[in-house]
Short mmCIF file of all heavy atoms in Angstrom, two decimals:
data_model
loop_
_atom_site.label_atom_id
_atom_site.label_comp_id
_atom_site.label_asym_id
_atom_site.label_seq_id
_atom_site.Cartn_x
_atom_site.Cartn_y
_atom_site.Cartn_z
N SER T 301 -7.79 -12.10 -29.60
CA SER T 301 -8.08 -13.52 -29.34
C SER T 301 -7.79 -14.38 -30.55
O SER T 301 -7.38 -15.54 -30.42
CB SER T 301 -9.56 -13.68 -28.93
OG SER T 301 -9.82 -12.97 -27.73
N GLY T 302 -8.02 -13.86 -31.74
CA GLY T 302 -7.78 -14.63 -32.94
C GLY T 302 -8.98 -15.46 -33.34
O GLY T 302 -10.07 -15.35 -32.76
N ALA T 303 -8.80 -16.31 -34.32
CA ALA T 303 -9.90 -17.08 -34.88
C ALA T 303 -10.40 -18.12 -33.88
O ALA T 303 -9.62 -18.87 -33.30
CB ALA T 303 -9.45 -17.78 -36.17
N ILE T 304 -11.71 -18.14 -33.68
CA ILE T 304 -12.35 -19.14 -32.83
C ILE T 304 -13.27 -19.95 -33.73
O ILE T 304 -14.26 -19.43 -34.24
CB ILE T 304 -13.16 -18.48 -31.69
CG1 ILE T 304 -12.25 -17.59 -30.85
CG2 ILE T 304 -13.80 -19.54 -30.81
CD1 ILE T 304 -12.98 -16.86 -29.73
N PRO T 305 -12.97 -21.21 -33.95
CA PRO T 305 -13.76 -22.01 -34.89
C PRO T 305 -15.15 -22.32 -34.35
O PRO T 305 -15.38 -22.29 -33.15
CB PRO T 305 -12.93 -23.29 -35.04
CG PRO T 305 -12.17 -23.39 -33.76
CD PRO T 305 -11.87 -21.99 -33.35
N THR T 306 -16.07 -22.60 -35.22
CA THR T 306 -17.42 -23.02 -34.82
C THR T 306 -17.48 -24.54 -34.81
O THR T 306 -16.64 -25.23 -35.40
CB THR T 306 -18.47 -22.48 -35.80
OG1 THR T 306 -18.15 -22.92 -37.12
CG2 THR T 306 -18.51 -20.96 -35.76
N GLY T 307 -18.51 -25.06 -34.14
CA GLY T 307 -18.69 -26.51 -34.09
C GLY T 307 -17.77 -27.16 -33.07
O GLY T 307 -17.16 -26.51 -32.22
N PHE T 308 -17.69 -28.49 -33.17
CA PHE T 308 -16.92 -29.28 -32.20
C PHE T 308 -15.78 -30.01 -32.89
O PHE T 308 -15.95 -30.54 -34.01
CB PHE T 308 -17.82 -30.31 -31.51
CG PHE T 308 -18.82 -29.70 -30.58
CD1 PHE T 308 -20.08 -29.34 -31.03
CD2 PHE T 308 -18.50 -29.48 -29.25
CE1 PHE T 308 -21.01 -28.77 -30.18
CE2 PHE T 308 -19.41 -28.91 -28.38
CZ PHE T 308 -20.68 -28.56 -28.85
N ILE T 309 -14.65 -30.06 -32.24
CA ILE T 309 -13.53 -30.87 -32.72
C ILE T 309 -13.83 -32.32 -32.38
O ILE T 309 -14.39 -32.61 -31.32
CB ILE T 309 -12.23 -30.41 -32.03
CG1 ILE T 309 -11.97 -28.94 -32.34
CG2 ILE T 309 -11.04 -31.26 -32.46
CD1 ILE T 309 -10.79 -28.36 -31.61
N PRO T 310 -13.50 -33.27 -33.24
CA PRO T 310 -13.77 -34.68 -32.94
C PRO T 310 -13.14 -35.10 -31.61
O PRO T 310 -12.02 -34.66 -31.27
CB PRO T 310 -13.12 -35.42 -34.11
CG PRO T 310 -13.11 -34.42 -35.21
CD PRO T 310 -12.92 -33.10 -34.57
N PRO T 311 -13.85 -35.90 -30.81
CA PRO T 311 -13.31 -36.33 -29.51
C PRO T 311 -12.04 -37.16 -29.67
O PRO T 311 -11.80 -37.76 -30.72
CB PRO T 311 -14.43 -37.16 -28.90
CG PRO T 311 -15.27 -37.58 -30.05
CD PRO T 311 -15.17 -36.49 -31.07
N LYS T 312 -11.24 -37.16 -28.62
CA LYS T 312 -9.96 -37.86 -28.66
C LYS T 312 -9.63 -38.37 -27.26
O LYS T 312 -9.84 -37.67 -26.26
CB LYS T 312 -8.87 -36.90 -29.15
CG LYS T 312 -7.48 -37.51 -29.23
CD LYS T 312 -6.49 -36.45 -29.71
CE LYS T 312 -5.09 -37.03 -29.79
NZ LYS T 312 -4.12 -36.01 -30.25
N VAL T 313 -9.12 -39.58 -27.18
CA VAL T 313 -8.72 -40.15 -25.89
C VAL T 313 -7.55 -39.36 -25.34
O VAL T 313 -6.57 -39.10 -26.06
CB VAL T 313 -8.34 -41.63 -26.04
CG1 VAL T 313 -7.88 -42.21 -24.70
CG2 VAL T 313 -9.53 -42.42 -26.58
N PRO T 314 -7.62 -38.93 -24.08
CA PRO T 314 -6.47 -38.22 -23.48
C PRO T 314 -5.20 -39.03 -23.59
O PRO T 314 -5.21 -40.27 -23.50
CB PRO T 314 -6.88 -38.02 -22.03
CG PRO T 314 -8.38 -38.08 -22.06
CD PRO T 314 -8.73 -39.05 -23.13
N SER T 315 -4.10 -38.37 -23.82
CA SER T 315 -2.83 -39.05 -24.04
C SER T 315 -2.31 -39.70 -22.77
O SER T 315 -1.97 -39.01 -21.79
CB SER T 315 -1.79 -38.05 -24.56
OG SER T 315 -0.53 -38.65 -24.64
N PHE T 316 -2.27 -41.03 -22.74
CA PHE T 316 -1.75 -41.74 -21.59
C PHE T 316 -0.23 -41.55 -21.47
O PHE T 316 0.32 -41.70 -20.38
CB PHE T 316 -2.10 -43.22 -21.68
CG PHE T 316 -3.56 -43.51 -21.51
CD1 PHE T 316 -4.39 -43.68 -22.61
CD2 PHE T 316 -4.12 -43.55 -20.24
CE1 PHE T 316 -5.74 -43.92 -22.46
CE2 PHE T 316 -5.48 -43.79 -20.07
CZ PHE T 316 -6.29 -43.99 -21.19
N GLY T 317 0.41 -41.22 -22.58
CA GLY T 317 1.85 -40.99 -22.53
C GLY T 317 2.21 -39.72 -21.77
O GLY T 317 3.31 -39.60 -21.23
N LEU T 318 1.27 -38.76 -21.73
CA LEU T 318 1.53 -37.51 -21.01
C LEU T 318 1.14 -37.57 -19.53
O LEU T 318 1.57 -36.74 -18.74
CB LEU T 318 0.76 -36.37 -21.68
CG LEU T 318 1.18 -35.99 -23.09
CD1 LEU T 318 0.23 -34.93 -23.65
CD2 LEU T 318 2.60 -35.47 -23.10
N MET T 319 0.33 -38.55 -19.17
CA MET T 319 -0.20 -38.59 -17.79
C MET T 319 0.87 -38.74 -16.72
O MET T 319 0.74 -38.13 -15.65
CB MET T 319 -1.26 -39.68 -17.68
CG MET T 319 -2.53 -39.36 -18.43
SD MET T 319 -3.80 -40.60 -18.29
CE MET T 319 -5.00 -39.98 -19.47
N PRO T 320 1.91 -39.55 -16.93
CA PRO T 320 2.95 -39.62 -15.87
C PRO T 320 3.59 -38.26 -15.58
O PRO T 320 4.04 -38.01 -14.47
CB PRO T 320 3.96 -40.61 -16.44
CG PRO T 320 3.18 -41.46 -17.38
CD PRO T 320 2.18 -40.55 -18.00
N ARG T 321 3.60 -37.38 -16.57
CA ARG T 321 4.25 -36.09 -16.39
C ARG T 321 3.41 -35.15 -15.52
O ARG T 321 3.92 -34.21 -14.92
CB ARG T 321 4.48 -35.43 -17.76
CG ARG T 321 5.29 -36.29 -18.72
CD ARG T 321 5.38 -35.61 -20.10
NE ARG T 321 6.11 -34.36 -20.02
CZ ARG T 321 7.44 -34.26 -20.08
NH1 ARG T 321 8.17 -35.35 -20.19
NH2 ARG T 321 8.03 -33.10 -20.03
N VAL T 322 2.09 -35.40 -15.46
CA VAL T 322 1.19 -34.50 -14.71
C VAL T 322 0.46 -35.24 -13.59
O VAL T 322 -0.47 -34.69 -13.00
CB VAL T 322 0.17 -33.85 -15.67
CG1 VAL T 322 0.87 -32.99 -16.69
CG2 VAL T 322 -0.69 -34.91 -16.36
N ALA T 323 0.88 -36.46 -13.29
CA ALA T 323 0.16 -37.25 -12.28
C ALA T 323 0.16 -36.58 -10.92
O ALA T 323 -0.86 -36.52 -10.23
CB ALA T 323 0.78 -38.65 -12.19
N PHE T 324 1.31 -36.06 -10.53
CA PHE T 324 1.39 -35.41 -9.22
C PHE T 324 0.68 -34.06 -9.22
O PHE T 324 0.04 -33.66 -8.25
CB PHE T 324 2.85 -35.23 -8.82
CG PHE T 324 3.03 -34.60 -7.46
CD1 PHE T 324 2.84 -35.34 -6.31
CD2 PHE T 324 3.37 -33.27 -7.34
CE1 PHE T 324 2.98 -34.76 -5.06
CE2 PHE T 324 3.52 -32.68 -6.10
CZ PHE T 324 3.33 -33.43 -4.95
N ASP T 325 0.77 -33.34 -10.36
CA ASP T 325 0.13 -32.02 -10.47
C ASP T 325 -1.39 -32.10 -10.39
O ASP T 325 -2.03 -31.10 -10.05
CB ASP T 325 0.53 -31.36 -11.79
CG ASP T 325 2.03 -31.16 -11.91
OD1 ASP T 325 2.59 -30.45 -11.06
OD2 ASP T 325 2.64 -31.72 -12.84
N ALA T 326 -1.96 -33.25 -10.71
CA ALA T 326 -3.42 -33.38 -10.72
C ALA T 326 -4.00 -33.57 -9.33
O ALA T 326 -5.23 -33.45 -9.15
CB ALA T 326 -3.83 -34.55 -11.61
N ILE T 327 -3.19 -33.84 -8.32
CA ILE T 327 -3.71 -34.11 -6.97
C ILE T 327 -4.31 -32.85 -6.34
O ILE T 327 -5.45 -32.88 -5.85
CB ILE T 327 -2.62 -34.72 -6.08
CG1 ILE T 327 -2.22 -36.10 -6.63
CG2 ILE T 327 -3.13 -34.87 -4.64
CD1 ILE T 327 -1.06 -36.74 -5.88
N PRO T 328 -3.57 -31.72 -6.27
CA PRO T 328 -4.17 -30.53 -5.64
C PRO T 328 -5.48 -30.06 -6.28
O PRO T 328 -6.45 -29.79 -5.56
CB PRO T 328 -3.07 -29.47 -5.77
CG PRO T 328 -1.80 -30.25 -5.86
CD PRO T 328 -2.16 -31.47 -6.63
N PRO T 329 -5.58 -29.98 -7.63
CA PRO T 329 -6.88 -29.59 -8.20
C PRO T 329 -7.99 -30.56 -7.87
O PRO T 329 -9.13 -30.15 -7.69
CB PRO T 329 -6.60 -29.57 -9.72
CG PRO T 329 -5.13 -29.43 -9.85
CD PRO T 329 -4.54 -30.13 -8.67
N ALA T 330 -7.67 -31.85 -7.78
CA ALA T 330 -8.69 -32.85 -7.45
C ALA T 330 -9.27 -32.58 -6.07
O ALA T 330 -10.50 -32.61 -5.88
CB ALA T 330 -8.10 -34.26 -7.53
N VAL T 331 -8.42 -32.31 -5.11
CA VAL T 331 -8.87 -32.08 -3.74
C VAL T 331 -9.61 -30.74 -3.64
O VAL T 331 -10.69 -30.64 -3.04
CB VAL T 331 -7.68 -32.12 -2.77
CG1 VAL T 331 -8.14 -31.78 -1.35
CG2 VAL T 331 -7.02 -33.49 -2.79
N ILE T 332 -9.03 -29.69 -4.23
CA ILE T 332 -9.65 -28.37 -4.14
C ILE T 332 -11.00 -28.34 -4.86
O ILE T 332 -11.98 -27.79 -4.36
CB ILE T 332 -8.71 -27.31 -4.74
CG1 ILE T 332 -7.45 -27.18 -3.86
CG2 ILE T 332 -9.41 -25.97 -4.84
CD1 ILE T 332 -7.74 -26.67 -2.47
N SER T 333 -11.05 -28.93 -6.05
CA SER T 333 -12.30 -28.97 -6.81
C SER T 333 -13.38 -29.69 -6.02
O SER T 333 -14.53 -29.21 -5.93
CB SER T 333 -12.07 -29.67 -8.15
OG SER T 333 -13.29 -29.87 -8.83
N PHE T 334 -13.05 -30.83 -5.43
CA PHE T 334 -14.02 -31.56 -4.61
C PHE T 334 -14.46 -30.73 -3.42
O PHE T 334 -15.66 -30.64 -3.10
CB PHE T 334 -13.40 -32.88 -4.15
CG PHE T 334 -13.98 -33.38 -2.86
CD1 PHE T 334 -15.27 -33.90 -2.80
CD2 PHE T 334 -13.24 -33.33 -1.69
CE1 PHE T 334 -15.81 -34.33 -1.61
CE2 PHE T 334 -13.77 -33.78 -0.50
CZ PHE T 334 -15.05 -34.28 -0.46
N ALA T 335 -13.50 -30.12 -2.72
CA ALA T 335 -13.82 -29.37 -1.50
C ALA T 335 -14.77 -28.21 -1.81
O ALA T 335 -15.76 -28.00 -1.10
CB ALA T 335 -12.54 -28.86 -0.84
N PHE T 336 -14.48 -27.45 -2.86
CA PHE T 336 -15.34 -26.33 -3.21
C PHE T 336 -16.73 -26.79 -3.63
O PHE T 336 -17.74 -26.20 -3.25
CB PHE T 336 -14.69 -25.50 -4.33
CG PHE T 336 -13.74 -24.45 -3.83
CD1 PHE T 336 -12.37 -24.66 -3.90
CD2 PHE T 336 -14.19 -23.28 -3.29
CE1 PHE T 336 -11.48 -23.71 -3.44
CE2 PHE T 336 -13.31 -22.31 -2.83
CZ PHE T 336 -11.94 -22.52 -2.91
N THR T 337 -16.79 -27.85 -4.43
CA THR T 337 -18.08 -28.32 -4.93
C THR T 337 -18.96 -28.83 -3.80
O THR T 337 -20.14 -28.47 -3.71
CB THR T 337 -17.86 -29.44 -5.97
OG1 THR T 337 -17.05 -28.94 -7.04
CG2 THR T 337 -19.18 -29.92 -6.53
N VAL T 338 -18.41 -29.66 -2.92
CA VAL T 338 -19.20 -30.22 -1.82
C VAL T 338 -19.62 -29.14 -0.85
O VAL T 338 -20.77 -29.10 -0.39
CB VAL T 338 -18.42 -31.34 -1.11
CG1 VAL T 338 -19.17 -31.81 0.14
CG2 VAL T 338 -18.23 -32.52 -2.05
N SER T 339 -18.71 -28.24 -0.51
CA SER T 339 -19.05 -27.20 0.45
C SER T 339 -20.13 -26.26 -0.09
O SER T 339 -21.07 -25.89 0.64
CB SER T 339 -17.80 -26.39 0.83
OG SER T 339 -17.25 -25.76 -0.30
N LEU T 340 -20.04 -25.90 -1.39
CA LEU T 340 -21.08 -25.05 -1.98
C LEU T 340 -22.40 -25.80 -2.06
O LEU T 340 -23.47 -25.21 -1.82
CB LEU T 340 -20.65 -24.60 -3.37
CG LEU T 340 -19.60 -23.49 -3.43
CD1 LEU T 340 -19.25 -23.16 -4.88
CD2 LEU T 340 -20.10 -22.23 -2.74
N SER T 341 -22.36 -27.07 -2.39
CA SER T 341 -23.59 -27.86 -2.47
C SER T 341 -24.30 -27.90 -1.13
O SER T 341 -25.52 -27.67 -1.03
CB SER T 341 -23.28 -29.29 -2.92
OG SER T 341 -22.67 -29.30 -4.19
N GLU T 342 -23.56 -28.18 -0.08
CA GLU T 342 -24.15 -28.26 1.25
C GLU T 342 -24.62 -26.88 1.73
O GLU T 342 -25.65 -26.77 2.39
CB GLU T 342 -23.14 -28.85 2.23
CG GLU T 342 -22.83 -30.31 1.96
CD GLU T 342 -21.82 -30.90 2.92
OE1 GLU T 342 -21.06 -30.12 3.52
OE2 GLU T 342 -21.79 -32.14 3.07
N MET T 343 -23.87 -25.84 1.40
CA MET T 343 -24.25 -24.48 1.82
C MET T 343 -25.59 -24.08 1.23
O MET T 343 -26.50 -23.62 1.96
CB MET T 343 -23.17 -23.49 1.37
CG MET T 343 -23.46 -22.05 1.76
SD MET T 343 -22.39 -20.87 0.87
CE MET T 343 -20.77 -21.53 1.25
N PHE T 344 -25.77 -24.26 -0.07
CA PHE T 344 -27.01 -23.83 -0.71
C PHE T 344 -28.15 -24.81 -0.47
O PHE T 344 -29.32 -24.40 -0.50
CB PHE T 344 -26.77 -23.59 -2.20
CG PHE T 344 -26.06 -22.30 -2.49
CD1 PHE T 344 -24.68 -22.26 -2.53
CD2 PHE T 344 -26.78 -21.13 -2.68
CE1 PHE T 344 -24.00 -21.06 -2.76
CE2 PHE T 344 -26.13 -19.93 -2.92
CZ PHE T 344 -24.73 -19.89 -2.96
N ALA T 345 -27.83 -26.07 -0.23
CA ALA T 345 -28.88 -27.01 0.14
C ALA T 345 -29.48 -26.64 1.51
O ALA T 345 -30.69 -26.66 1.71
CB ALA T 345 -28.32 -28.43 0.17
#
Side-chain angles (χ1 to χ4, degrees):
S301 298
I304 303 178
T306 57
F308 290 91
I309 301 175
K312 180 180 180 180
V313 178
S315 174
F316 291 98
L318 294 175
M319 290 181 188
R321 305 175 64 84
V322 297
F324 181 77
D325 300 300
I327 296 176
V331 177
I332 294 296
S333 173
F334 153 72
F336 273 102
T337 302
V338 173
S339 61
L340 284 179
S341 300
E342 292 179 338
M343 180 193 307
F344 283 88

